[in-house]
Amino acid sequence: TQAQIGVTGLAVMGRNLARNLARNGFTVAVHNRTAARTDALVAEFGEEGDFVATRTAKEFVAALERPRRLVVMVKAGEPTDAVIDEFAPLLEPGDMIIDGGNAHFADTRRRERLLRERDLHFVGTGISGGEEGALHGPSIMPGGSAESYAVLGPILERIAAKAEDGTPCVSHVGPDGAGHFVKMVHNGIEYADMQLIGEAYQLLRDVAGYTPGRISDIFRTWNTGRLDSYLIEITAEVLAHVDEYTGKPFVDVVADAAEQKGTGRWTVQTALDLGVPVSGIAEAVFARSLSGHVPLREASRSLEGPTPRALSEEEAAAFADRVEQALYASKIMSYTQGFHEITAGAEEYGWGIDPGAVAALWRGGCIIRAAFLDRIRAAYDTRPDLPSLLSDATFAREVADAQDDWREVMVAATRQGVPAPGFAAALAYYDALRAERLPAALVQGQRDFFGAHTYRRTDREGSFHTLWGGDRSEVEA
Ligand code: NBP
């Protein structure tokens, strides 16, 4: 039998994706550099569907029907190039290589260009949802040509997660690196969501004085409302968990140094290149790096802070409600920033990404899946050229309603000395966008003073320079 699709790279992600394909009725050719993984997959899960186990690259390619659909699920970076170099010479025009790893979109653009010259399709595809998602239905973000999506899309639609309305969480994001770009921003938003939830927890603990168990219950309640999301749900689970060795709350025995694999950092680096302010995502990346500077933190532990004040039971309950408002408003800011980056990337690279479709395919399967995304999609459907999520009347209203509480939370955090960089960056972003005048005018004055960098005026066209070292008259530049 000829396989409809093949998967090479059978570590956790590739193995589960191959099983997902087979469980959905596709015949799947499987291959791995180390054959033991291929054997293990077939021995353990061979009953689940039709697998064609192959040992060599040649055998693998020969097992696939044409046009060949070859999914690569190996470690991102050099291994991906090695696999492409190995397989591309064995393929024929019209065949496609689908990279489901976490590649940087610039690498995907390069690989797509090279393979296009050989009449091969390269489909850089973001896949989110971890190993469980790969098995039961991930959110899938394919880039590459529209032609390749026509051939590949129907298969992906079968194995993708389904949103509540039954729509598969996959659609053609745009050409070349568009899929991996959107996956990168997804991960950046994921970092911001996690940081904001972490700050909410810390405030409930250190300002309201609640235990992790109590905070878990609060998150569970929040999860029945507008914050309903996978990350809030698992946060409640983690907070309720008790360490089996010490009997202490699990969060209290885990080293508080967060790690990162780099996609959040890429989101920020790319945003810097595109000139897009993603301050909330940046704070989330920095918060993880700060947490890991253990000697620096130890050396700083004796620095003075404010004297904390204990809240009464009523004050604490009211504060918890305010934190929900602050969390929700801050979350709207990070999605606003993330979608800004997506539209800026789409413009820079000529991708023509539909932001509403991106929100739609994040509704299920992925780590940031949330009820909220349906509303983002609706906002873009109503107005596809929405300049910003905050231009949507419903989101603007919700933030307006939350802002008093949000500000109160910032006051409490500041007064009690609890760091909340994500909440603070989000609020500063909101206030900066709202501002009638920004101090950028003064910055332009400073730049003109020391570097004759010139400035524009509010009342006349043109560029101007003030003769700061002379009589301070203005000249046209
Ligand atoms: P890993 O990222 O751990 O990669 C292991 C696989 O890469 C093995 O199959 C290994 O083969 C293969 N490989 C390596 Br390493 N170097 C190779 C080379 N030079 N030639 C051929 N094969 C090579 O696997 P993973 O955790 O399953 O992730 C796969 C991809 O999916 C990654 O890009 C990852 O970033 C992405 N991803 C992961 C998750 C997740 O939750 N884990 C989520 C979303 C995306 P071997 O068996 O012979 O060593």
Side-chain angles (χ1 to χ4, degrees):
T1 41
Q2 291 260 286
Q4 287 141 303
I5 193 159
V7 179
T8 182
L10 301 174
V12 283
M13 288 295 289
R15 184 186 58 197
N16 282 358
L17 205 68
R19 290 174 61 200
N20 186 350
L21 285 159
R23 286 166 164 205
N24 275 287
F26 298 106
T27 302
V28 190
V30 286
H31 173 267
N32 192 68
R33 178 180 62 178
T34 312
R37 280 200 208 266
T38 316
D39 297 341
L41 166 62
V42 176
E44 261 183 87
F45 306 107
E47 302 291 295
E48 291 183 358
D50 294 331
F51 295 101
V52 182
T54 65
R55 311 231 130 219
T56 65
K58 262 203 176 126
E59 251 180 73
F60 182 56
V61 168
L64 296 168
E65 68 175 34
R66 299 210 47 214
R68 297 185 179 88
R69 289 171 280 229
L70 195 158
V71 179
V72 180
M73 284 305 286
V74 301
K75 203 177 169 73
E78 276 171 35
T80 306
D81 283 316
V83 170
I84 292 171
D85 289 346
E86 186 181 7
F87 286 97
L90 306 173
L91 299 177
E92 293 168 90
D95 288 351
M96 62 194 73
I97 295 181
I98 301 125
D99 176 19
N102 263 337
H104 191 286
F105 74 96
D107 286 333
T108 302
R109 283 168 60 77
R110 167 178 61 79
R111 291 168 182 150
E112 197 273 341
R113 212 168 33 241
L114 283 174
L115 291 177
R116 198 176 343 126
E117 283 168 14
R118 304 161 80 154
D119 288 323
L120 298 174
H121 295 284
F122 185 71
V123 186
T125 304
I127 298 183
S128 177
E131 49 181 302
E132 281 298 299
L135 183 59
H136 300 292
S139 167
I140 311 178
M141 293 150 256
S145 64
E147 205 184 332
S148 60
Y149 191 79
V151 177
L152 181 65
I155 297 183
L156 299 183
E157 285 161 22
R158 286 266 284 281
I159 65 159
K162 306 293 177 288
E164 265 180 25
D165 64 6
T167 324
C169 294
V170 55
S171 59
H172 183 224
V173 175
D176 60 78
H180 275 137
F181 186 94
V182 161
K183 170 63 179 5
M184 172 189 78
V185 176
H186 163 285
N187 285 27
I189 293 174
E190 172 188 311
Y191 272 55
D193 263 351
M194 291 168 72
Q195 174 63 22
L196 294 172
I197 292 170
E199 291 176 17
Y201 152 75
Q202 190 81 36
L203 288 162
L204 291 172
R205 189 127 195 217
D206 293 348
V207 178
Y210 289 158
T211 62
R214 178 123 187 227
I215 301 169
S216 168
D217 291 339
I218 291 174
F219 275 104
R220 238 172 234 137
T221 311
W222 289 355
N223 200 41
T224 62
R226 59 191 182 170
L227 282 168
D228 174 4
S229 62
Y230 173 70
L231 281 171
I232 295 278
E233 178 192 326
I234 65 162
T235 300
E237 298 280 328
V238 174
L239 286 173
H241 187 57
V242 173
D243 175 50
E244 59 178 309
Y245 299 108
T246 59
K248 289 184 185 165
F250 169 78
V251 274
D252 289 348
V253 299
V254 176
D256 63 344
E259 294 178 11
Q260 47 187 321
K261 280 189 176 168
T263 42
R265 190 170 57 229
W266 290 350
T267 310
V268 179
Q269 285 168 335
T270 303
L272 290 172
D273 292 340
L274 292 168
V276 177
V278 294
S279 48
I281 300 170
E283 285 296 353
V285 175
F286 284 137
R288 287 199 196 185
S289 68
L290 187 149
S291 75
H293 282 283
V294 177
L296 175 65
R297 290 175 60 197
E298 267 162 16
S300 312
R301 206 143 280 157
S302 58
L303 295 172
E304 263 184 52
T307 311
R309 183 179 74 85
L311 302 192
S312 70
E313 188 58 31
E314 280 115 65
E315 285 174 322
F319 181 73
D321 290 342
R322 291 201 179 104
V323 173
E324 193 268 350
Q325 299 276 358
L327 176 56
Y328 186 68
S330 300
K331 184 180 164 92
I332 293 177
M333 296 310 132
S334 51
Y335 281 73
T336 300
Q337 295 178 359
F339 276 92
H340 185 185
E341 181 162 352
I342 288 173
T343 47
E347 200 164 301
E348 172 75 16
Y349 299 107
W351 286 327
I353 298 176
D354 170 1
V358 170
L361 65 80
W362 287 346
R363 287 179 301 167
C366 65
I367 306 297
I368 64 169
R369 62 183 183 261
F372 177 70
L373 284 157
D374 226 354
R375 304 194 23 234
I376 297 185
R377 186 196 54 150
Y380 280 109
D381 281 357
T382 313
R383 206 178 142 196
D385 65 338
L386 204 64
S388 145
L389 264 191
L390 293 174
S391 319
D392 176 73
T394 314
F395 285 122
R397 182 75 259 151
E398 286 182 318
V399 178
D401 290 343
Q403 65 155 332
D404 287 347
D405 285 341
W406 191 9
R407 293 178 197 285
E408 285 299 324
V409 168
M410 292 322 302
V411 171
T414 309
R415 203 195 298 119
Q416 306 271 60
V418 179
F423 282 9
L427 185 56
Y429 177 75
Y430 179 65
D431 283 336
L433 288 181
R434 277 188 331 100
E436 185 65 37
R437 296 278 299 159
L438 287 170
L442 177 58
V443 170
Q444 284 298 82
Q446 293 163 334
R447 295 177 70 245
D448 190 58
F449 191 106
F450 66 67
H453 291 302
T454 75
Y455 50 87
R456 284 176 296 112
R457 294 182 58 97
T458 56
D459 54 357
R460 264 183 288 143
E461 288 293 307
S463 292
F464 301 93
H465 168 57
T466 290
L467 300 170
W468 297 103
D471 65 358
R472 305 213 162 173
S473 60
E474 183 175 85
V475 293
E476 200 145 353

